[in-house]
């Protein structure tokens, strides 16, 4: 109760504590959004998983990776917001933007999101 009474008697301190908490929450969100896209960008992750499944299925059926998403029946990745790039004969990446200047990237070589 003592902390509560201190905050009530000192409005500047109350404002400073509130501003500090807002700053901490904002920084935590910014860090989490880049590290855990599946929490904050569920729709993009769902679309990216469809792209990954389509590319993997294409590779199984044709023995090679597609050159572009149009080969797997996805015509416009700009509308989808998910992008594909063949890196080598056996590896590819899929990515989408998360926050300004950041993206979530899936690497087929590690089968992990970064």
């Amino acid at each position: 109760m003592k902390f509560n009474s201190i905050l009530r008697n000192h409005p500047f301190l109350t404002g400073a504590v509130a501003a500090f908490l807002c700053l901490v929450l904002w920084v935590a969100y910014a860090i989490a959004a880049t590290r855990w896209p599946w929490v904050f960008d569920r729709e993009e992750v769902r679309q990216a998983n469809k792209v990954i499944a389509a590319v993997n299925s294409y590779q199984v059926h044709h023995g090679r990776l597609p050159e572009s998403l149009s080969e797997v029946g996805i015509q416009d990745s700009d509308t989808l917001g998910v992008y594909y790039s063949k890196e080598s004969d056996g590896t590819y990446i899929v990515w989408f933007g998360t926050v300004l200047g950041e993206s979530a990237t899936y690497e087929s070589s590690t089968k992990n999101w970064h």
Side-chain angles (χ1 to χ4, degrees):
M1 267 321 199
K2 190 172 185 176
F3 184 71
N4 192 16
S5 64
I6 292 171
L7 288 179
R8 254 191 251 144
N9 294 331
H10 301 287
F12 178 75
L13 184 59
T14 302
V17 169
F20 177 74
L21 289 175
C22 287
L23 178 65
V24 167
L25 290 173
W26 179 75
V27 168
Y29 171 79
I31 291 170
T34 59
R35 303 237 191 285
W36 304 299
W38 51 93
V39 174
F40 298 97
D41 302 299
R42 288 188 178 129
E43 181 60 26
E44 289 85 355
V45 170
R46 190 174 70 76
Q47 295 295 340
N49 285 333
K50 286 182 179 180
V51 168
I52 292 166
V55 170
N56 289 341
S57 177
Y58 184 94
Q59 186 178 25
V60 167
H61 288 94
H62 295 89
R64 65 176 182 84
L65 289 172
E67 296 298 322
S68 68
L69 289 180
S70 62
E71 285 187 64
V72 298
I74 300 172
Q75 299 306 319
D76 189 8
S77 63
D78 285 335
T79 303
L80 191 62
V82 176
Y83 304 92
Y84 163 84
S85 177
K86 179 180 170 183
E87 298 292 293
S88 68
D89 287 339
T91 62
Y92 64 90
I93 61 171
V94 172
W95 74 95
F96 60 88
T98 54
V99 294
L100 185 61
E102 299 289 332
S103 64
T105 305
Y106 173 84
E107 296 180 14
S108 66
S109 60
T110 62
K111 295 186 179 7
N112 287 321
W113 284 94
H114 303 281

